Amino acid sequence: MTIRVVLADDQALLRSAFKVLVDSEPDMEVVGEAADGAQAVALARSERADVVLMDIRMPGTDGLAATRMITADPELSGVRIVMLTTFEVDEYVVQSLRAGASGFLGKGAEPEELLGAIRIAHAGEALLSPAATKGLIATFLAQGPGTEDVGGGGGARAARLPALTAREREVLVLVAGGLSNDEIAERLDVSPLTVKTHVNRAMAKLGARDRAQLVVTAYESGLVRPRVE
């Protein structure tokens, strides 16, 4: 199945470069280009996009507002958003995660990183690399929910934590630690399929769109505390 990608960035040259890269892959294609967030939302809907590469800072409707609009629309529940940022992490990135983005990527990333990010997001995984930034993201999230959590529903998800089984909570903690299903399976001495089942059940019970929202919920609820280096 071909991954349908929308590129949202106000720099036409950058969009062109991304388009050439994405269209060179046999399993993905660019189905639309947007210069602002409003166009990105419209294209995500009209072109049945699977993944939107969304610049955070754009004129008019910025990437953060567009992310909220997409994640708040039930008809766009299958759309995954990867935020593009000049900086590796800042408060806007955290707001994006709270709003429902699957993760973020620096604009200086290598081509293979960008392509990998699209595939990871499409698979419903959390794109929170590079690993060194996780602690900073956790610190921002641990400051408590803010007014930006409009579409993400972080507070509501946290309130549903008691619905999780002990094993699901254990898996949630490991997901928040950045471990993959294979790594969690090895840690718990179970099969990756069993881990996937626990992750899917946790997402269903918490009303999370994807793995990234599980991470947000784990930190905002206090289930996981950021480590101070």
Side-chain angles (χ1 to χ4, degrees):
M1 181 180 69
T2 301
I3 303 173
R4 300 173 63 82
V5 181
V6 166
L7 304 176
D9 195 296
D10 60 327
Q11 298 181 50
L13 187 60
L14 193 58
R15 292 200 310 272
S16 296
F18 286 159
K19 177 175 171 55
V20 170
L21 179 63
V22 172
D23 283 343
S24 70
E25 295 298 294
D27 62 335
M28 60 182 72
E29 67 172 328
V30 173
V31 295
E33 296 183 46
D36 61 43
Q39 292 178 5
V41 175
L43 285 171
R45 181 177 292 109
S46 65
E47 301 302 324
R48 297 176 291 107
D50 296 308
V51 177
V52 178
L53 291 182
M54 184 89 74
D55 186 19
I56 289 182
R57 297 171 180 83
M58 291 183 288
T61 302
D62 64 16
L64 181 57
T67 296
R68 290 173 180 153
M69 293 167 68
I70 289 174
T71 57
D73 189 338
E75 294 185 1
L76 301 178
S77 61
V79 179
R80 298 292 175 256
I81 302 169
V82 175
M83 305 303 295
L84 296 172
T85 176
T86 304
F87 307 99
E88 285 300 326
V89 67
D90 59 23
E91 193 167 0
Y92 288 108
V93 170
V94 179
Q95 292 177 19
S96 301
L97 293 175
R98 279 176 166 156
S102 294
F104 70 95
L105 194 70
K107 288 186 177 181
E110 294 295 324
E112 287 305 315
E113 288 183 280
L114 178 67
L115 297 173
I118 293 172
R119 295 186 178 101
I120 289 170
H122 183 247
E125 299 291 329
L127 184 70
L128 302 178
S129 56
T133 66
K134 290 179 182 176
L136 187 51
I137 291 175
T139 299
F140 276 121
L141 292 176
Q143 292 174 356
T147 57
E148 70 275 5
D149 188 24
V150 177
R157 288 194 299 273
R160 298 173 189 155
L161 278 179
L164 300 183
T165 65
R167 178 62 94 179
E168 289 164 355
R169 289 169 71 94
E170 185 176 16
V171 168
L172 176 57
V173 169
L174 296 175
V175 167
L179 275 65
S180 66
N181 284 357
D182 288 344
E183 291 169 332
I184 295 174
E186 184 176 353
R187 179 79 62 89
L188 300 180
D189 195 23
V190 298
S191 73
L193 181 59
T194 296
V195 174
K196 183 177 181 180
T197 298
H198 288 312
V199 170
N200 288 341
R201 286 176 178 169
M203 286 195 293
K205 291 180 180 180
L206 297 176
R209 287 166 55 92
D210 56 23
R211 205 177 183 96
Q213 289 194 342
L214 289 181
V215 176
V216 172
T217 300
Y219 280 109
E220 288 194 329
S221 66
L223 182 63
V224 175
R225 299 287 184 180
R227 290 183 298 178
V228 178
E229 302 296 338

